[in-house]
Amino acid sequence: PLCPPVGRAKSLSPEEVCDHEKQYVGFATLPNQVHRKSVKKGFDFTLMVAGESGLGKSTLVNSLFLTDLYKDRKLLNAEERINQTVEIIKHTVDIEEKGVKLKLTIVDTPGFGDAVNNTECWKPITDYIDQQFEQYFRDESGLNRKNIQDNRVHCCLYFISPFGHGLRPVDVEFMKALHEKVNIVPLIAKADCLIPSEIRKLKERIREEIDKFGIKVYQFPECDSDEDEEFKQQDRELKESAPFAVIGSNTVVEAKGQRVRGRLYPWGIVEGKHGAWEHWEEGQAGMGQR
């Protein structure tokens, strides 16, 4: 037999019923829980850098992440570079900023574009990217998926020479071979070699050629309508700045009473973060969005 009620149940008014239904469930804390778990675990980011030798790829990467990934690098002489083939070299470093851990992997491609005959010199690079996708798929399909290592290439910084008149045939073929596999961000290297008007002309030419050859470069996502105006303005500037014109520096110089990363010339100092010469801060913001 059912036990009789100990006391009379209190009847709720319609207002109290409504308040009762609105009581806290707990799913509102899910974003915070996911955030805490992600921050504790850390993030993996794999960045590929490609382009011919001498365009400042290593220097820019060191400048972007304020570290030195190429301490033990050996510079090849002219004779050794003639016989060099395209290699895939990985550099991994753990970075922590404000409690957030990042496992950064830089995939370097020495030898790309340096030969006299560059026919299909991008093949080892596309093969490497495909292998990482296949490995990740196999790991995801396995039974033990707890400690999967994500080595897929998330972004490719492609360095374009500032000394030409746009894209070279090898630039076009490389980006067409990769644009369906990875986010490509074209960069105009060593932008301090050019005056602002030359940079604008080169950017226009590169944009025209990217459209002409149907190359799909990374497109920044559209802003939500409820974003504040400052964020919308930053988004517009990012989109208008592509392809980014960049410089890098591993040296610290003094400018206007402050110590900054930059390059010292007889006629003055080019700061690493000076917006008039390069799109440094836009590039860093874009890396965050990716």
Side-chain angles (χ1 to χ4, degrees):
L2 296 176
C3 295
V6 177
R8 296 180 61 189
K10 180 183 176 183
S11 60
L12 299 176
S13 66
E15 292 79 8
E16 289 175 321
V17 171
C18 186
D19 291 339
H20 184 73
E21 289 176 351
K22 290 181 180 178
Q23 279 185 357
Y24 191 65
V25 176
F27 61 83
T29 64
L30 282 175
N32 293 332
Q33 293 174 26
V34 173
H35 177 264
R36 283 197 302 270
K37 184 178 179 181
S38 299
V39 169
K40 183 179 178 181
K41 183 181 177 183
F43 300 92
D44 294 322
F45 187 72
T46 302
L47 178 69
M48 175 177 280
V49 290
E52 64 179 273
S53 299
L55 291 181
K57 301 187 294 295
S58 308
T59 304
L60 184 71
V61 168
N62 287 339
S63 302
L64 272 174
F65 298 101
L66 304 178
T67 186
D68 188 2
L69 290 168
Y70 300 89
K71 295 176 184 176
D72 304 322
R73 185 177 62 159
K74 179 189 174 186
L75 297 176
L76 303 179
N77 58 37
E79 184 179 352
E80 290 171 326
R81 285 176 60 182
I82 290 174
N83 300 319
Q84 186 186 21
T85 56
V86 180
E87 296 180 76
I88 304 294
I89 299 177
K90 292 170 61 176
H91 305 269
T92 303
V93 63
D94 293 319
I95 302 174
E96 186 169 344
E97 183 177 79
K98 296 181 180 180
V100 180
K101 297 177 182 177
L102 173 69
K103 183 184 177 184
L104 173 67
T105 302
I106 302 295
V107 181
D108 205 353
T109 56
F112 172 79
D114 292 342
V116 176
N117 182 5
N118 288 311
T119 304
E120 293 195 344
C121 61
W122 52 86
K123 193 74 168 56
I125 300 172
T126 56
D127 289 344
Y128 173 82
I129 292 173
D130 289 338
Q131 286 168 10
Q132 304 315 307
F133 277 118
E134 291 169 6
Q135 182 62 48
Y136 189 79
F137 178 75
R138 284 196 296 269
D139 292 343
E140 277 284 343
S141 304
L143 295 175
N144 184 14
R145 298 192 295 271
K146 188 175 181 181
N147 298 314
I148 292 178
Q149 206 166 12
D150 186 2
N151 292 318
R152 295 172 299 174
V153 179
H154 301 110
C155 177
C156 174
L157 299 181
Y158 186 72
F159 288 70
I160 299 168
S161 172
F163 310 118
H165 299 283
L167 298 177
R168 301 175 303 160
V170 67
D171 299 331
V172 174
E173 293 302 323
F174 174 86
M175 288 193 279
K176 286 176 74 173
L178 264 72
H179 67 175
E180 298 284 0
K181 304 174 186 289
V182 66
N183 296 312
I184 298 176
V185 180
L187 303 176
I188 299 173
K190 294 189 173 181
D192 51 335
C193 297
L194 306 172
I195 61 175
S197 61
E198 291 174 329
I199 291 177
R200 286 193 295 270
K201 288 180 182 177
L202 183 56
K203 281 177 173 235
E204 290 172 8
R205 181 70 181 269
I206 291 172
R207 287 191 201 108
E208 289 172 2
E209 292 180 336
I210 285 173
D211 291 338
K212 175 183 175 183
F213 293 108
I215 299 169
K216 300 173 185 176
V217 297
Y218 177 77
Q219 300 294 328
F220 290 96
E222 294 295 330
C223 278
D224 294 331
S225 56
D226 58 348
E227 293 285 358
D228 56 41
E229 282 302 320
E230 184 179 351
F231 185 82
K232 289 180 179 178
Q233 179 63 26
Q234 184 190 41
D235 187 69
R236 282 193 294 269
E237 290 175 359
L238 278 170
K239 292 173 181 175
E240 292 169 2
S241 298
F244 301 127
V246 298
I247 63 170
S249 173
N250 287 333
T251 57
V252 177
V253 296
E254 190 168 331
K256 299 177 183 177
Q258 295 181 335
R259 293 178 63 79
V260 296
R261 282 182 176 248
R263 292 184 175 273
L264 181 63
Y265 293 102
W267 56 85
I269 294 172
V270 179
E271 293 181 33
K273 287 194 175 186
H274 197 284
W277 277 98
E278 62 152 349
H279 302 294
W280 175 284
E281 291 172 347
E282 288 93 330
Q284 284 189 318
M287 294 286 288
Q289 287 196 28
R290 279 181 288 284

